C-alpha cells in the first residue's frame, strides 16, 4: 500500500526487460478474473499471466514470465492494445507486485494505462518497428539492461536508442511526483462545492 | 479537437479546474460501485482517514460473484461471501445506498443504474467496470475506472483526466428483420477494429440509432470499450426522455420539464465538429458471430472464417493465428453449423427485458437440443419480475432453458457459472477473450440473444432469420 500513498518523482527506470509479444493482450489474460475475488491486492504478484503460464493441472507452459532469465525484470515490452478489456486494477497491481516498474508497447487499453498512472508506473509507447527491435534484444540477450528516461523520452539498451511517447500531462505527473491524484483532487474540494452550489442556485 | 458535441458540453459542464499536471479535474455526477473493485478503495480511504465526500452520489449493488441458482447465505464460495460481506459493511459504514437482494433492485450494475433513473443525460458517470460505457446511451459521458480512481471518486467525487477525441459513427437506413443492436455493435467493432477507438469517445448517430430503443442503445454503447473507445454515447431524444419519465430517481413534477430542457441543451450541435467521422449503411449488417478471441474477430452469419494471411498488419495476423490455435477451427469453414455446448443469455450487454423477449420469441414452442446446457440470466430483479409477469419464464422453462436469478454469471465466470474444458458457448455477453468464461481452454461465440436462442434449439450456430418468430 505504501507505493500508492507515496508520490515520488519518477524520471528513470532501469533494469532488464521481459518481452510479452502479441496484440490485444487483455487484462483477463494478464490477470484471470478469479483472482479478483481476493479482498486485497497483497497476493496478486504471484499470478500475472497465470493461465498463460500454467495449464489447469498446474503443469507449466512456455511463457516469458516462467523463464529463469526474466525473473527480476523491471520492464515489460508489449505490442498493440496492451491491457485492453476489463478495467480491473488488479492487472497492473499483479504486474507491479511481480516487479514491473515500466511498460513499453505500441499502444495501451486506456483504462489500463490510467490505472498504471495511479500506481506510478510509466506506460510509454514506441513504434511497431521499434517495439519489434526492443523485444528482439530482450529475447536474444535477456541480461541486457535498459534505461527508460522520461527527461529525454528515450529508451536505451543493447546498443539501441529508441524514442518513446506519453501524454504530456502524464509525463509531468511522473516527473514531478504528482501522480497520487487523491491529494491533487482534494486540494480543490472547495471548488467542487462551489460548482454544486452554483448549479443548485441556477 | 471536437467542438459543439455532446462530449464537449458534458465535459465543460463538469470541468472543475486544471490540475498542476495539466490534467483536468472532472466532477463525477454519478458513481456506481460493485463488490469486486470497491473493497480495496474503501480500505484506502480508511488508511488515509478519509470519508465519502458525497455519499448520495454513490450507489452500490452486487453482481459479479452472485450465484445465479441460489443466493442463500452464506454463499458456498467463501471468497464470494467475504466480498458480499465487505460491500455490506463498507456501504453501511460510509453511508452509501446499497441495492441488495432484499431491496428488489439488485442486478448487474449497468442495468440497475438506468432502470432506477439514476443514469441521466449530461451526467459524468464512473464505475469500477469497463462496461460503464453502457450509460452513454442516455447522453451521459460514462467510463470505466480502476480501483485507485474509485478511491478518488469516493474521496472527492472527481477524477483527473485528459480530454478525449470524438468520432461520429453514423449508420443510416433500416436494420433488416433479425438484425439487432448486438449485430450493429459487432459490425462497428469489426469495421473499426478493437484498437480503432483508442483515444476516442464514439458518438453513435444516424437513422439506425434514432430508431433504436434505449435497451438497444445501451447494448451498442456497452460495447464501445470492446472497440477501444473508453466511452460511447447517443444524443438524448424523445426515446430517452420517455424511458426516464416516472423512474424512481428521475426528476418528478415541475422539475421534470426543467430537467428535459436542460438535457436537450447537451445534444450535439448541427454544425458540431468531430475529430473523425465515418458512415455505414444498415443494409450491410446481418446477424454476426465472433469466431476468434477478440470481439473484432467476427463474421456475418452467411460468411466463412477468414484466412489469417489476408491481414496486412503483422499484429492482426498473429492475433488471428492465435485465435485459430485456441478455437481449433479451419480458415474458410462456415460459421453456420459450428456445434455448441452451452447457450448463455444475460449480461450487462444483453440482459434487459427486450433481450429476453427476443429470445423468447425464438424459444416459444420449441425445445433446446439434447445435450445443450441453456440458461437465461435476467439482468436485474426488476427485469426478472417483468419477464415473469409477461410469462417469458414459462416459455423458457418449457423449452428446456434454466431460468436463473440476476448476476454477471458466465460473462466473466467468477461465480458458479463457468465453461468446463474445451466447451463452446453461444453467448450474448461482450467478451470472447481466452479464458473469459471460466475455462482456460473454453471457447466463446458472441452473438445476439435471439441468435443464442436459435443456437440452443438447433445445437449449432444458426441464422436466426431461418426461424419463424412466434407470437408470445
Amino acid at each position: 500500500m505504501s507505493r500508492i500513498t507515496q508520490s515520488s518523482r519518477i524520471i528513470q527506470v532501469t533494469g532488464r526487460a521481459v518481452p510479452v509479444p502479441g496484440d490485444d493482450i487483455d487484462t483477463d489474460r494478464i490477470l484471470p478474473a478469479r483472482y479478483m475475488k481476493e479482498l486485497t491486492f497483497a497476493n496478486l504478484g504471484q499470478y500475472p499471466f497465470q493461465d498463460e503460464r500454467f495449464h489447469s493441472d498446474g503443469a507449466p507452459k512456455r511463457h516469458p514470465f516462467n523463464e529463469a532469465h526474466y525473473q527480476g525484470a523491471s520492464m515489460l515490452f508489449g505490442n498493440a492494445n496492451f491491457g485492453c478489456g476489463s478495467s480491473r486494477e488488479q492487472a497492473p497491481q499483479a504486474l507491479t507486485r511481480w516487479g514491473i516498474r515500466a511498460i513499453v508497447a505500441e499502444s495501451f487499453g486506456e483504462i489500463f494505462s490510467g490505472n498504471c498512472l495511479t500506481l506510478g508506473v510509466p506506460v510509454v509507447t514506441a513504434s511497431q518497428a521499434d517495439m519489434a527491435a526492443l523485444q528482439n534484444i530482450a529475447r536474444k540477450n535477456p541480461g541486457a539492461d535498459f534505461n527508460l528516461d522520461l527527461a529525454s523520452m528515450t529508451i536505451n539498451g543493447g546498443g539501441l536508442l529508441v524514442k518513446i511517447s506519453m501524454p504530456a500531462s502524464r509525463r509531468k505527473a511522473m516527473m514531478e511526483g504528482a501522480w497520487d491524484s487523491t491529494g491533487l483532487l482534494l486540494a480543490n474540494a472547495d471548488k467542487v462545492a462551489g460548482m454544486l452550489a452554483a448549479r443548485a442556485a441556477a | 479537437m471536437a467542438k459543439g458535441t455532446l462530449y464537449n458540453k458534458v465535459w465543460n459542464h463538469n470541468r472543475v479546474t486544471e490540475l498542476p499536471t495539466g490534467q483536468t479535474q472532472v466532477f463525477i455526477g454519478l458513481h456506481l460501485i460493485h463488490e469486486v473493485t470497491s473493497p480495496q478503495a474503501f480500505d484506502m480511504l480508511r488508511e488515509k482517514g478519509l470519508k465519502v465526500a458525497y455519499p448520495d452520489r454513490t450507489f452500490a449493488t452486487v453482481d459479479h460473484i452472485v450465484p445465479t441458482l441460489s443466493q442463500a447465505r452464506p454463499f458456498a464460495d467463501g471468497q464470494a461471501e467475504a466480498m458480499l460481506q465487505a460491500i455490506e459493511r463498507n456501504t453501511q459504514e460510509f453511508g452509501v445506498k446499497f441495492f441488495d437482494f432484499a431491496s428488489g433492485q439488485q442486478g448487474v450494475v449497468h442495468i440497475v443504474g438506468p432502470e432506477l433513473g439514476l443514469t441521466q443525460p449530461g451526467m459524468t458517470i464512473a464505475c469500477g467496470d469497463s462496461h460503464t460505457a453502457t450509460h452513454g446511451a442516455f447522453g451521459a459521458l460514462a467510463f470505466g475506472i480502476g480501483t485507485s480512481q474509485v478511491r478518488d471518486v469516493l474521496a472527492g467525487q472527481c477524477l483527473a483526466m485528459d480530454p478525449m477525441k470524438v468520432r461520429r459513427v453514423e449508420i443510416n437506413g433500416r436494420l433488416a428483420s433479425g438484425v439487432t443492436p448486438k449485430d450493429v455493435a459487432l459490425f462497428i467493432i469489426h469495421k473499426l477494429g478493437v484498437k480503432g477507438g483508442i483515444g476516442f469517445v464514439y458518438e453513435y448517430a444516424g437513422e439506425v440509432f434514432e430508431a433504436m430503443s434505449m435497451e438497444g442503445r445501451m447494448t451498442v454503447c456497452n460495447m464501445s470499450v470492446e472497440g477501444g473507445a473508453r466511452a460511447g454515447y447517443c444524443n438524448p431524444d424523445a426515446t430517452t426522455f420517455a424511458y426516464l419519465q416516472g423512474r424512481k430517481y428521475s426528476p418528478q413534477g415541475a422539475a421534470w420539464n426543467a430537467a428535459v430542457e436542460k438535457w436537450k441543451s447537451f445534444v450535439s450541435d448541427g454544425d458540431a465538429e468531430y475529430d473523425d467521422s465515418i458512415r455505414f449503411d444498415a443494409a450491410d449488417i446481418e446477424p454476426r458471430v465472433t469466431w476468434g478471441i477478440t470481439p473484432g474477430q467476427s463474421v456475418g452469419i452467411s460468411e466463412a472464417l477468414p484466412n489469417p494471411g489476408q491481414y496486412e498488419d503483422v499484429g492482426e495476423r498473429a492475433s488471428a493465428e492465435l485465435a485459430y490455435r485456441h478455437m481449433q477451427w479451419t480458415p474458410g469453414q462456415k460459421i453456420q453449423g459450428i456445434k455448441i455446448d452451452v447457450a448463455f443469455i444475460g449480461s450487462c450487454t444483453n440482459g434487459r427485458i427486450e433481450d429476453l423477449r427476443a429470445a423468447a420469441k425464438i424459444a416459444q414452442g420449441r425445445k433446446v437440443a439434447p445435450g445443450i446446457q441453456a440458461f437465461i440470466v435476467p439482468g436485474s430483479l426488476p427485469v426478472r419480475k417483468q419477464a415473469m409477469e409477461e410469462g417469458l419464464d414459462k416459455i423458457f422453462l418449457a423449452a428446456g432453458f434454466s431460468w436463473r436469478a440476476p448476476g454477471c454469471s458466465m460473462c466473466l465466470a467468477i461465480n458458479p457459472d463457468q465453461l468446463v474444458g474445451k466447451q463452446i458457448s453461444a453467448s450474448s455477453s461482450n467478451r470472447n477473450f481466452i479464458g473469459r468464461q471460466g475455462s482456460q481452454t473454453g471457447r466463446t461465440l458472441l452473438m445476439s440473444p435471439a441468435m443464442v436462442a436459435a443456437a440452443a434449439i438447433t445445437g449449432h450456430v444458426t441464422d436466426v432469420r431461418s426461424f419463424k418468430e412466434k407470437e408470445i
Side-chain angles (χ1 to χ4, degrees), chain B residues 131-414:
Chain B
H131 292 111
T132 308
T134 310
H135 306 265
F138 292 80
L141 180 58
F143 39 79
I145 56 177
T147 296
S148 294
Q149 293 167 317
V150 171
R151 169 201 63 195
D152 285 356
V153 180
L154 290 172
Q157 208 61 36
C158 289
L159 287 170
M161 299 188 74
D162 286 311
M164 295 175 261
K165 293 181 285 186
V166 185
R167 172 178 291 142
R168 181 177 158 95
V169 180
E170 183 178 333
I171 308 184
N172 290 312
R174 280 185 60 182
L175 295 176
S177 173
V179 180
T180 70
K182 180 63 160 289
D183 304 304
V184 173
L186 291 172
F187 176 85
I188 293 169
I189 299 163
H190 177 72
K191 286 288 181 187
L192 301 179
V194 290
K195 31 192 174 283
I198 294 178
F200 284 96
V201 174
Y202 282 177
E203 174 176 303
Y204 299 106
E207 292 159 2
V208 162
F209 298 104
E210 287 162 16
M212 204 178 265
S213 68
M214 288 314 297
E215 283 85 351
R217 294 178 190 180
M218 283 189 258
T219 297
V220 176
C221 289
N222 171 280
M223 291 196 68
S224 301
V225 69
E226 310 308 336
R230 193 171 180 182
Y233 66 84
C234 297
N235 279 299
D237 60 9
T239 305
T240 319
F241 309 141
Y243 179 98
L244 284 172
Q245 192 159 22
R247 294 195 181 256
K248 185 177 163 91
Y249 287 89
S250 293
Q252 314 284 340
W256 170 258
N257 290 333
V260 170
E261 285 313 302
K262 179 75 184 163
W263 293 341
K264 285 179 181 169
S265 73
F266 291 109
V267 172
S268 292
D269 298 334
D271 60 353
E273 293 174 22
Y274 296 85
D275 298 285
D276 189 36
S277 59
I278 187 153
R279 279 187 192 183
F280 298 113
D281 186 341
D284 293 334
I285 309 177
E286 63 171 343
R288 293 192 75 84
V289 180
T290 64
W291 57 269
I293 56 168
T294 79
Q297 290 166 334
S298 71
V299 289
I301 185 68
S302 64
E303 295 178 319
L305 306 193
N307 189 325
Q310 77 183 53
Y311 294 97
E312 279 179 28
D313 180 79
V314 290
E316 285 184 31
R317 195 182 318 140
S319 180
E321 286 164 353
L322 176 62
Y324 276 108
R325 284 198 297 281
H326 182 76
M327 301 298 281
Q328 303 183 330
W329 322 133
T330 311
Q333 88 178 79
K334 289 275 188 189
I335 191 81
Q336 264 192 86
I338 286 178
K339 285 190 167 47
I340 67 155
D341 303 295
V342 173
F344 164 54
I345 295 174
S347 84
C348 58
T349 309
N350 281 125
R352 283 170 283 267
I353 189 69
E354 276 195 0
D355 302 315
L356 303 194
R357 287 181 191 140
K361 283 182 183 170
I362 302 303
Q364 167 86 314
R366 298 189 172 102
K367 292 280 181 197
V368 169
I372 306 292
Q373 181 204 346
F375 60 115
I376 313 280
V377 184
S380 68
L381 286 171
V383 169
R384 188 171 197 273
K385 184 164 172 272
Q386 187 176 349
M388 292 175 81
E389 284 165 7
E390 295 179 17
L392 305 187
D393 59 321
K394 292 191 180 65
I395 293 171
F396 289 126
L397 287 166
F401 286 85
S402 172
W403 176 249
R404 302 291 181 88
C408 295
S409 184
M410 204 187 270
C411 177
L412 88 168
I414 57 170

